[in-house]
Amino acid sequence: QVQLVESGGGLVQAGGSLRLSCAASGRIYTINRMGWYRQAPGMQREMVAVVNSDGSTHYIDSVKGRFTISRDNAKNMVYLQMNSLKPEDTAVYFCYADYSGTYYDPGQHGWGQGTQVTVSA
């Protein structure tokens, strides 16, 4: 079982910045993909950004050019730098990981508890 713990959320004015961090711990053999999802009230959870083990990234169109995802494989951490924040970025942000707990593990995924990001107009 892997635990994912997010930090860095908060309240910021439109145009401001926040940096989210997520630490993965527990029984980890390898982490393939890590990423960030978000869920606004009354909305479905959506992918914001993901980063693969080879460093390749993918972003939802609405955050391209404003958000940057990165990871530290040695520390099993993933980050999301969010700049030029907009009120529509307000949501609970969840850390996500695709990982294997052992060599024989075909793969599973885990979620963090979420961290609130609120952007005021």
Side-chain angles (χ1 to χ4, degrees), residues 7 16-22 34-38 47-52 55-72 77-85 89 93:
S7 61
S17 298
L18 284 173
R19 186 182 190 230
L20 305 182
S21 299
C22 173
M34 298 188 81
W36 293 93
Y37 284 65
R38 68 186 179 187
M47 185 277 292
V48 177
V50 294
V51 56
N52 296 309
S56 58
T57 58
H58 179 71
Y59 297 90
I60 192 173
D61 285 347
S62 61
V63 308
K64 287 181 180 178
R66 300 188 298 121
F67 291 11
T68 302
I69 189 170
S70 60
R71 63 188 283 178
D72 184 331
M77 293 195 69
V78 63
Y79 308 95
L80 186 67
Q81 178 65 44
M82 305 185 293
N83 298 329
S84 302
L85 282 160
D89 294 317
Y93 284 70

Side-chain angles (χ1 to χ4, degrees), residues 18-36:
L18 284 173
R19 186 182 190 230
L20 305 182
S21 299
C22 173
S25 63
R27 191 175 190 180
I28 300 171
Y29 175 72
T30 184
I31 299 179
N32 300 312
R33 171 174 289 187
M34 298 188 81
W36 293 93

Side-chain angles (χ1 to χ4, degrees), residues 5 14 22 30 43 50 70 75 86 90 98 108 110 112-113 117-118:
V5 179
C22 173
T30 184
M43 303 293 286
V50 294
S70 60
K75 296 181 179 179
K86 303 176 180 181
T90 295
D98 276 330
Q108 50 191 309
Q113 293 297 309
V117 171
T118 302

